[in-house]
Amino acid sequence: MVAIIESRPPPANDVVALPRPFAPAVTPLFTDPRRAAHERASVDCMGRRLARLLGREFRAQALPGLPGYFIPMETLTREEAAMRGIGCAAHLFGGVVPHAFVATKLVTHGLVEGGAHAPDGWAHALGDALGDAVLPGYSVFTAADLRRAVADLLAQGRVRCKLAHARGGNGQRVVDSLSALEAWLATVDADEIQAGVVAELNLEEAVTFSVGCVEVGGQSIAYFGTQRTVRTPRGEEVYGGSQLRVARGGLDQLQHVPLPAQAHEAIAKVQHYEAQIVAAYPGFFASRRNYDLVHGLDADGQARCGVLEQSWRFGGASPAEILALEALAAQPDIAWLDASTHERWRDEPVPDDAVVYFDGQVASLGRLVKYARVSLDGCHA
């Protein structure tokens, strides 16, 4: 049994409604039927809060032929957006791309030398333009190109291979030899390789950062944070939540809040990465832009940092983003705050101030609890 819970539902006068960019209802949008029940529950719960924040109705399903403010679980293509009347970032909590592959981690790297296989619309100059905003790596679409890419990268250390459409740390393998690559390839279907694989330098003692921006109803926030992982009852290490420091405004406003030393390099890399994506793929727009970066040591013990991938859709950190938007709208004297999401597979106490957006059984894995929190301690300007 799935339970969607808000441990402290805000009263109507507890949230400041932002200016309405347009009138339609807030509606979740599920374009992938494989989405798990707990992911759908997260969007449903947070969609209701977003509707209250915008001062409009929440509707679980879109009415045919009517426009809406949509919350997609996937980044939309231009064609998918046009079918729903989405023409700009003010029409959705997410993003729109000119080609489906632009929404994947494939755009983070260029092709391996001699690699001729790429989808239509591929921006061949982008890989070089991204420079050191990303780690050394390649995007490939055949097993032969993957072997060539891994052989080249192994000279610098271990290599992480990632299926383009996998999420949450799934569909990956770190290899230290070509024989290890062959063992992994034996477990991967040919159509998954054809859909795209990223091969990039693996970092040791790695920490994953999150850098992002959200624009909703005329209000903008930006954040820097770190991700944590948890183990499922099966022993798999998966996404376990994010800890974010959130400021009003765009990424440039993060320079005015306390951040760790590595944050400013990471933010600069994200700014360069995003600028190059926008230049390479005209027609892209998004109101929710999240970037994962890794910081760690290469095989020589040198510290490196690079963007791994982007998320222009409702994601794991979005409940924290929405709670931060609520708190900053309600308390205009606050310049920044801390917000976090948590995903737990163990029975542990949930803090009294948490907003629980899923508490239920997940397939054969057991009970999963997902919640978000906001902390205002020390955040006053």
Side-chain angles (χ1 to χ4, degrees):
M1 172 131 180
V2 171
I4 306 169
I5 302 172
E6 293 186 54
S7 53
R8 286 195 312 128
N13 61 1
D14 199 35
V15 174
V16 176
L18 300 178
R20 299 186 183 190
F22 65 108
V26 174
T27 307
L29 181 58
F30 303 108
T31 56
D32 185 347
R34 298 168 296 178
R35 283 291 184 178
H38 66 87
E39 295 177 304
R40 292 171 174 264
S42 301
V43 177
D44 184 77
C45 178
M46 287 297 146
R48 295 176 188 278
R49 298 184 76 97
L50 198 56
R52 284 198 294 269
L53 185 65
L54 288 166
R56 53 179 50 93
E57 177 189 358
F58 175 83
R59 188 176 294 130
Q61 291 185 329
L63 297 178
L66 291 182
Y69 180 92
F70 292 99
I71 311 174
M73 284 294 288
E74 313 292 336
T75 304
L76 303 178
T77 63
R78 250 189 320 228
E79 293 74 19
E80 291 171 331
M83 289 171 52
R84 296 166 174 86
I86 298 171
C88 67
H91 294 170
L92 81 168
F93 187 90
V96 173
V97 293
H99 309 283
F101 68 82
V102 180
T104 73
K105 54 181 71 74
L106 291 167
V107 294
T108 300
H109 298 292
L111 303 179
V112 66
E113 185 176 355
H117 298 273
D120 292 340
W122 184 265
H124 289 270
L126 178 59
D128 288 338
L130 290 172
D132 66 358
V134 302
L135 301 177
Y138 301 102
S139 290
V140 300
F141 301 88
T142 68
D145 282 351
L146 179 57
R147 293 183 183 101
R148 188 158 45 243
V150 171
D152 180 78
L153 291 168
L154 281 172
Q156 302 178 64
R158 299 201 300 164
V159 180
R160 183 177 295 271
C161 301
K162 306 185 289 189
L163 299 179
H165 298 282
R167 291 195 181 98
N170 298 304
Q172 301 188 16
R173 180 70 60 86
V174 176
V175 300
D176 57 7
S177 65
L178 290 176
S179 60
L181 172 65
E182 293 301 329
W184 183 64
L185 279 174
T187 69
V188 179
D189 292 337
D191 57 347
E192 292 180 304
I193 301 296
Q194 189 174 5
V197 182
V198 166
E200 67 189 6
L201 184 66
N202 184 68
L203 299 185
E204 310 296 337
E205 301 180 29
V207 177
T208 303
F209 296 146
S210 292
V211 176
C213 300
V214 179
E215 300 171 22
V216 171
Q219 184 181 11
S220 300
I221 59 171
Y223 57 81
F224 173 86
T226 56
Q227 294 183 17
R228 71 183 73 86
T229 59
V230 296
R231 289 198 178 276
T232 70
R234 288 179 184 158
E236 301 164 324
E237 193 169 1
V238 298
Y239 174 78
S242 299
Q243 181 70 41
L244 310 178
R245 179 144 291 177
V246 186
R248 297 181 187 274
L251 287 176
D252 57 323
Q253 294 303 307
L254 290 173
Q255 64 184 307
H256 303 302
V257 304
L259 294 175
Q262 307 98 323
H264 300 290
E265 177 191 10
I267 293 166
K269 287 180 182 289
V270 163
Q271 291 173 313
H272 178 77
Y273 180 97
E274 185 172 86
Q276 298 306 317
I277 293 288
V278 170
Y281 294 106
F284 158 75
F285 60 83
S287 63
R288 194 263 175 175
R289 311 193 303 276
N290 172 278
Y291 300 90
D292 289 348
L293 303 93
V294 64
H295 185 279
L297 303 179
D298 63 17
D300 296 324
Q302 298 297 312
R304 286 180 179 257
C305 180
V307 179
L308 296 175
E309 60 183 311
Q310 72 290 343
S311 174
W312 302 316
R313 57 178 177 80
F314 185 98
S318 291
E321 298 163 358
I322 292 169
L323 293 194
L325 284 164
E326 286 180 355
L328 290 172
Q331 303 189 58
D333 60 317
I334 294 176
W336 59 271
L337 52 77
D338 292 326
S340 59
T341 59
H342 306 259
E343 301 191 9
R344 295 182 175 177
W345 294 92
R346 303 187 303 272
D347 284 332
E348 297 177 356
V350 174
D352 292 338
D353 62 350
V355 173
V356 179
Y357 47 96
F358 180 82
D359 184 349
Q361 298 294 314
V362 175
S364 59
L365 287 175
R367 182 188 177 199
L368 173 63
V369 179
K370 301 169 70 171
Y371 64 89
R373 303 176 69 193
V374 163
S375 172
L376 306 180
D377 294 342
C379 301
H380 289 270

